[in-house]
């Protein structure tokens, strides 16, 4: 389906939906006039109008006007929304649940997404979705059992990285560097490391080893991190977030 033919709807107009819409617009995947978003009030819709998108307070109107519909509500609201829109879902619709089917970092750029297709979704549907979502960042099709793991790894993982970046910068501040400069350098350091992982495809342990000079500064610093059980603590954090995502899904 060509971008000019595609009509994209969002039931829910919060940060996640907004970030995805901006990614689609930046990549030229769909014109703003072909995007329709719904929300109960105007609180979140003004930003969509500024982008040139259409808005409504009626969820059913989104189904009536769209061929691809993203359900971008919070998980506890989703069952009620599904019951409301079910009568309007037709064979021409591709319906994607962001709450239960796709997880997206709350970023406008360089997000990491996974999706799992339902039994009624075709190869064409999956290809369409992946083509659109790659405009927002990395996108992979996975088994449904990976969805909650992705939440623990990437959805919540953004916060782990911010915490680590904060600690990096504060370490430099402790040693006498101004805070603003330390934060910028910490961010650039994380960006460079992430790009190296993606561009080389090497295991992070290999890249870490390449940085270590025998008897040098890095290996001494890594020794301190190992004494603080950094790896085990981060693994425990991913496990805790994954388990919580499973619990929320069962509520």
């Amino acid at each position: 389906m060509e971008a000019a033919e595609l009509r994209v709807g969002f039931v829910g107009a919060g940060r996640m939906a907004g970030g995805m819409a901006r990614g689609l617009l930046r990549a030229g995947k769909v014109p703003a006039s072909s995007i329709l978003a719904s929300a109960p009030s105007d609180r979140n819709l003004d930003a969509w109008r500024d982008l040139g998108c259409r808005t409504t307070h009626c969820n059913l109107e989104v189904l009536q006007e769209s061929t691809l519909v993203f359900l971008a509500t919070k998980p506890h609201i989703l069952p009620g929304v599904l019951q409301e829109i079910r009568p309007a879902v037709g064979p021409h619709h591709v319906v994607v649940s962001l709450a239960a089917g796709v997880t997206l970092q709350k970023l406008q750029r360089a997000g990491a997404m996974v999706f799992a297709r339902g039994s009624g979704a075709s190869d064409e549907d999956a290809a369409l979705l992946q083509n659109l979502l790659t405009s927002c960042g990395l996108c992979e099709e996975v088994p449904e059992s990976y969805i909650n793991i992705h939440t623990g790894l990437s959805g919540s993982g953004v916060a782990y990285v911010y915490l680590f970046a904060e600690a990096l910068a504060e370490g430099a501040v402790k040693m006498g560097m101004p805070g603003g400069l330390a934060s910028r350098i910490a961010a650039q350091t994380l960006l460079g490391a992430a790009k190296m992982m993606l561009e080389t495809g090497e295991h992070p342990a290999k890249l870490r080893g390449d940085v270590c000079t025998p008897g040098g500064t890095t290996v001494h610093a890594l020794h301190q991190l190992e004494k603080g059980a950094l790896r085990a603590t981060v693994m425990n954090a991913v496990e805790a977030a994954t388990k919580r995502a499973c619990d929320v899904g069962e509520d």
Side-chain angles (χ1 to χ4, degrees):
M1 184 178 295
E2 298 295 332
E5 302 174 352
L6 187 63
R7 301 189 309 278
V8 179
F10 290 87
V11 176
R15 292 181 181 179
M16 182 181 293
M20 179 174 290
R22 281 185 284 272
L24 297 178
L25 291 173
R26 272 195 309 272
K29 297 290 186 180
V30 61
S33 59
S34 295
I35 296 178
L36 174 63
S38 67
S41 69
D42 284 333
R43 184 167 60 91
N44 292 329
L45 293 178
D46 288 340
W48 292 73
R49 296 178 187 129
D50 291 341
L51 294 173
C53 302
R54 296 177 297 128
T55 63
T56 180
H57 297 302
C58 178
N59 293 336
L60 287 177
E61 184 179 347
V62 175
L63 271 293
Q64 294 163 356
E65 296 290 329
S66 307
T67 49
L68 173 63
V69 180
F70 291 100
L71 305 182
T73 66
K74 294 186 180 299
H76 69 279
I77 297 175
L78 184 60
V81 170
L82 288 173
Q83 185 173 3
E84 176 190 1
I85 68 171
R86 183 175 289 114
V89 177
H92 63 286
H93 284 116
V94 178
V95 180
V96 182
S97 170
L98 296 183
V102 175
T103 57
L104 173 66
Q105 291 181 4
K106 293 180 179 178
L107 298 173
Q108 295 179 19
R109 301 170 187 254
M113 292 153 282
V114 297
F115 70 94
R117 71 172 90 175
S119 58
S122 66
D123 289 343
E124 181 181 3
D125 296 334
L128 170 65
L129 181 63
Q130 189 158 24
N131 176 264
L132 289 175
L133 294 186
T134 51
S135 64
C136 301
L138 176 70
C139 180
E140 301 275 355
E141 182 175 3
V142 300
E144 188 174 359
S145 59
Y146 291 5
I147 295 292
N148 287 329
I149 301 173
H150 175 73
T151 298
L153 170 62
S154 180
S156 299
V158 179
Y160 319 155
V161 175
Y162 288 152
L163 183 63
F164 184 67
E166 179 186 7
L168 275 180
E170 288 184 346
V173 170
K174 179 182 178 182
M175 301 311 297
M177 181 179 285
L181 176 60
S183 292
R184 291 194 297 275
I185 293 175
Q188 190 65 41
T189 300
L190 294 173
L191 177 62
K195 289 180 67 175
M196 184 65 74
M197 286 179 62
L198 291 172
E199 290 172 2
T200 66
E202 296 279 6
H203 193 283
K206 167 67 165 54
L207 296 174
R208 173 178 54 79
D210 290 344
V211 178
C212 291
T213 301
T217 60
T218 305
V219 72
H220 277 75
L222 288 172
H223 185 207
Q224 295 300 314
L225 294 176
E226 290 290 359
K227 288 197 291 187
L230 175 68
R231 284 190 293 179
T233 301
V234 174
M235 290 169 67
N236 288 341
V238 174
E239 180 181 3
T242 300
K243 288 182 175 178
R244 179 55 185 158
C246 292
D247 292 342
V248 170
E250 293 173 357
D251 288 345

